[in-house]
Amino acid sequence: NPIQMDKKAAAVWYQKAANAKHPDATFKLGLCYKNGEGVEHDDVLAQRYFEKAKELGSEMYAYYLEEQKEEERKSKEREDEENAKKEQELLMERVNYIKEELGLGSVALFFFLFFSVISVIIAGGGGLYLGGYYDLGSIMGLIVIVLIFLGCELIICLFFSLVEYITYGLRKKKWIRNHSDDPVCKYL
Protein backbone atom coordinates (compact mmCIF):
# COMPACT_ATOMS: atom_id res chain seq x y z
CA ASN A 1 0.00 0.00 0.00
CA PRO A 2 1.74 3.21 -1.17
CA ILE A 3 0.00 5.43 1.38
CA GLN A 4 1.05 3.18 4.27
CA MET A 5 4.62 3.15 2.89
CA ASP A 6 4.55 6.96 2.79
CA LYS A 7 3.40 7.00 6.40
CA LYS A 8 6.20 4.65 7.38
CA ALA A 9 8.70 6.82 5.52
CA ALA A 10 7.25 9.93 7.18
CA ALA A 11 7.61 8.32 10.60
CA VAL A 12 11.23 7.49 9.84
CA TRP A 13 11.96 11.10 8.82
CA TYR A 14 10.07 12.47 11.84
CA GLN A 15 12.19 10.18 14.02
CA LYS A 16 15.41 11.53 12.46
CA ALA A 17 14.23 15.14 12.91
CA ALA A 18 13.11 14.43 16.49
CA ASN A 19 16.56 13.01 17.23
CA ALA A 20 17.91 16.36 15.96
CA LYS A 21 15.53 18.08 18.47
CA HIS A 22 13.19 19.60 15.90
CA PRO A 23 10.10 20.65 17.96
CA ASP A 24 7.30 20.19 15.37
CA ALA A 25 8.78 16.94 13.96
CA THR A 26 8.90 15.59 17.53
CA PHE A 27 5.22 16.48 17.94
CA LYS A 28 4.31 14.83 14.59
CA LEU A 29 6.17 11.68 15.59
CA GLY A 30 4.06 11.65 18.77
CA LEU A 31 0.94 11.88 16.57
CA CYS A 32 2.22 8.96 14.48
CA TYR A 33 2.50 6.82 17.63
CA LYS A 34 -0.84 8.04 18.99
CA ASN A 35 -2.71 7.21 15.75
CA GLY A 36 -0.65 4.18 14.73
CA GLU A 37 0.33 5.78 11.42
CA GLY A 38 3.57 4.41 9.97
CA VAL A 39 4.47 2.93 13.35
CA GLU A 40 2.76 0.62 15.79
CA HIS A 41 0.22 2.37 18.05
CA ASP A 42 1.81 3.22 21.40
CA ASP A 43 0.20 5.77 23.74
CA VAL A 44 3.18 5.77 26.13
CA LEU A 45 5.66 6.70 23.39
CA ALA A 46 3.20 9.23 21.97
CA GLN A 47 2.99 10.95 25.35
CA ARG A 48 6.80 10.98 25.69
CA TYR A 49 7.19 12.66 22.30
CA PHE A 50 4.43 15.14 23.14
CA GLU A 51 6.21 16.09 26.37
CA LYS A 52 9.52 16.39 24.52
CA ALA A 53 7.83 18.60 21.85
CA LYS A 54 6.47 20.77 24.65
CA GLU A 55 9.95 21.13 26.18
CA LEU A 56 11.34 22.06 22.76
CA GLY A 57 8.63 24.72 22.34
CA SER A 58 6.62 23.18 19.48
CA GLU A 59 3.96 25.62 18.24
CA MET A 60 2.07 22.73 16.65
CA TYR A 61 1.89 21.00 20.03
CA ALA A 62 0.61 24.18 21.70
CA TYR A 63 -2.07 24.48 19.01
CA TYR A 64 -2.88 20.77 19.40
CA LEU A 65 -3.31 21.21 23.16
CA GLU A 66 -5.66 24.14 22.64
CA GLU A 67 -7.73 22.07 20.19
CA GLN A 68 -7.83 19.17 22.65
CA LYS A 69 -8.92 21.46 25.49
CA GLU A 70 -11.62 23.00 23.29
CA GLU A 71 -12.84 19.56 22.21
CA GLU A 72 -12.91 18.39 25.84
CA ARG A 73 -14.84 21.54 26.82
CA LYS A 74 -17.38 20.99 24.03
CA SER A 75 -17.67 17.33 24.91
CA LYS A 76 -18.26 18.23 28.56
CA GLU A 77 -20.89 20.81 27.56
CA ARG A 78 -22.68 18.22 25.39
CA GLU A 79 -22.54 15.70 28.20
CA ASP A 80 -23.85 18.26 30.71
CA GLU A 81 -26.68 19.22 28.34
CA GLU A 82 -27.61 15.57 27.83
CA ASN A 83 -27.53 14.93 31.57
CA ALA A 84 -29.63 18.02 32.26
CA LYS A 85 -32.14 16.93 29.60
CA LYS A 86 -32.34 13.43 31.10
CA GLU A 87 -32.78 14.87 34.59
CA GLN A 88 -35.53 17.19 33.31
CA GLU A 89 -37.31 14.28 31.60
CA LEU A 90 -37.12 12.18 34.77
CA LEU A 91 -38.36 15.11 36.81
CA MET A 92 -41.32 15.67 34.48
CA GLU A 93 -42.14 11.94 34.59
CA ARG A 94 -42.24 12.19 38.39
CA VAL A 95 -44.36 15.35 38.18
CA ASN A 96 -46.87 13.61 35.90
CA TYR A 97 -46.92 10.54 38.15
CA ILE A 98 -47.55 12.65 41.23
CA LYS A 99 -50.29 14.63 39.47
CA GLU A 100 -51.95 11.34 38.52
CA GLU A 101 -51.52 10.16 42.08
CA LEU A 102 -53.18 13.32 43.38
CA GLY A 103 -55.97 12.72 40.85
CA LEU A 104 -57.34 15.87 39.21
CA GLY A 105 -60.13 15.56 36.66
CA SER A 106 -61.34 11.98 36.88
CA VAL A 107 -64.43 12.54 39.07
CA ALA A 108 -65.68 15.56 37.12
CA LEU A 109 -65.21 13.71 33.82
CA PHE A 110 -67.14 10.71 35.13
CA PHE A 111 -70.07 12.86 36.24
CA PHE A 112 -70.07 14.80 32.99
CA LEU A 113 -70.30 11.62 30.91
CA PHE A 114 -72.84 10.03 33.28
CA PHE A 115 -75.17 13.03 33.23
CA SER A 116 -74.77 13.43 29.45
CA VAL A 117 -76.08 9.92 28.90
CA ILE A 118 -78.88 10.36 31.47
CA SER A 119 -79.99 13.69 29.98
CA VAL A 120 -80.19 12.24 26.46
CA ILE A 121 -82.19 9.23 27.68
CA ILE A 122 -84.57 11.31 29.77
CA ALA A 123 -84.90 14.06 27.18
CA GLY A 124 -85.67 11.54 24.44
CA GLY A 125 -88.27 9.79 26.63
CA GLY A 126 -89.72 13.12 27.75
CA GLY A 127 -90.13 14.32 24.18
CA LEU A 128 -92.03 11.21 23.26
CA TYR A 129 -94.15 11.48 26.38
CA LEU A 130 -95.11 15.13 25.80
CA GLY A 131 -96.50 14.69 22.37
CA GLY A 132 -96.80 10.97 21.95
CA TYR A 133 -95.13 11.42 18.58
CA TYR A 134 -92.73 13.92 17.07
CA ASP A 135 -94.80 16.86 16.05
CA LEU A 136 -94.01 20.51 16.76
CA GLY A 137 -95.07 20.21 20.44
CA SER A 138 -93.00 17.15 21.11
CA ILE A 139 -89.96 18.63 19.38
CA MET A 140 -90.31 21.84 21.42
CA GLY A 141 -90.78 19.73 24.56
CA LEU A 142 -87.72 17.71 23.67
CA ILE A 143 -85.66 20.87 23.19
CA VAL A 144 -86.87 22.33 26.51
CA ILE A 145 -86.14 19.11 28.40
CA VAL A 146 -82.70 18.76 26.79
CA LEU A 147 -81.88 22.37 27.72
CA ILE A 148 -83.08 21.85 31.30
CA PHE A 149 -81.04 18.67 31.71
CA LEU A 150 -77.99 20.15 30.04
CA GLY A 151 -78.24 23.16 32.34
CA CYS A 152 -78.56 20.89 35.35
CA GLU A 153 -75.71 18.75 34.07
CA LEU A 154 -73.54 21.81 33.63
CA ILE A 155 -74.30 23.04 37.14
CA ILE A 156 -73.67 19.61 38.68
CA CYS A 157 -70.45 19.11 36.73
CA LEU A 158 -69.24 22.58 37.69
CA PHE A 159 -70.02 21.77 41.31
CA PHE A 160 -68.09 18.47 41.19
CA SER A 161 -65.25 20.12 39.30
CA LEU A 162 -65.03 22.81 41.97
CA VAL A 163 -65.12 20.22 44.76
CA GLU A 164 -62.47 18.16 43.02
CA TYR A 165 -60.30 21.21 42.36
CA ILE A 166 -60.48 22.20 46.03
CA THR A 167 -59.66 18.67 47.23
CA TYR A 168 -56.86 18.44 44.66
CA GLY A 169 -55.45 21.67 46.01
CA LEU A 170 -55.60 20.31 49.55
CA ARG A 171 -53.96 17.00 48.51
CA LYS A 172 -51.30 18.94 46.60
CA LYS A 173 -50.53 21.20 49.58
CA LYS A 174 -50.26 18.16 51.85
CA TRP A 175 -47.94 16.39 49.40
CA ILE A 176 -45.74 19.49 49.05
CA ARG A 177 -45.65 19.94 52.81
CA ASN A 178 -44.51 16.31 53.24
CA HIS A 179 -41.96 16.53 50.39
CA SER A 180 -40.78 20.13 50.63
CA ASP A 181 -37.18 19.30 49.70
CA ASP A 182 -38.21 17.51 46.48
CA PRO A 183 -37.50 19.50 43.26
CA VAL A 184 -40.84 18.27 41.87
CA CYS A 185 -42.68 20.70 44.14
CA LYS A 186 -41.97 23.71 41.94
CA TYR A 187 -43.71 21.99 38.96
CA LEU A 188 -46.92 21.01 40.73
Side-chain angles (χ1 to χ4, degrees), residues 34-139:
K34 181 178 192 281
N35 300 324
E37 295 178 346
V39 292
E40 195 171 317
H41 175 84
D42 189 335
D43 284 332
V44 175
L45 272 177
Q47 191 58 39
R48 278 190 204 150
Y49 282 110
F50 287 153
E51 288 173 9
K52 191 173 180 181
K54 179 182 175 185
E55 290 171 11
L56 295 171
S58 171
E59 290 179 19
M60 292 178 91
Y61 180 69
Y63 180 74
Y64 173 78
L65 280 181
E66 288 301 316
E67 282 183 337
Q68 293 293 64
K69 287 178 184 177
E70 182 65 20
E71 184 57 38
E72 286 176 15
R73 186 190 62 75
K74 287 179 181 178
S75 177
K76 175 101 170 87
E77 283 179 3
R78 283 191 299 271
E79 186 179 318
D80 290 346
E81 287 174 11
E82 289 173 9
N83 288 340
K85 185 177 179 182
K86 286 177 186 176
E87 287 178 16
Q88 183 69 22
E89 288 172 358
L90 289 173
L91 184 64
M92 293 316 294
E93 284 179 20
R94 287 192 61 222
V95 166
N96 291 334
Y97 173 77
I98 291 168
K99 283 183 176 180
E100 286 177 18
E101 192 177 278
L102 295 175
L104 177 64
S106 56
V107 175
L109 179 63
F110 168 76
F111 279 104
F112 179 77
L113 294 175
F114 175 75
F115 283 111
S116 294
V117 170
I118 296 297
S119 66
V120 168
I121 291 171
I122 293 175
L128 288 174
Y129 175 75
L130 285 177
Y133 54 91
Y134 285 106
D135 60 5
L136 185 58
S138 64
I139 292 173

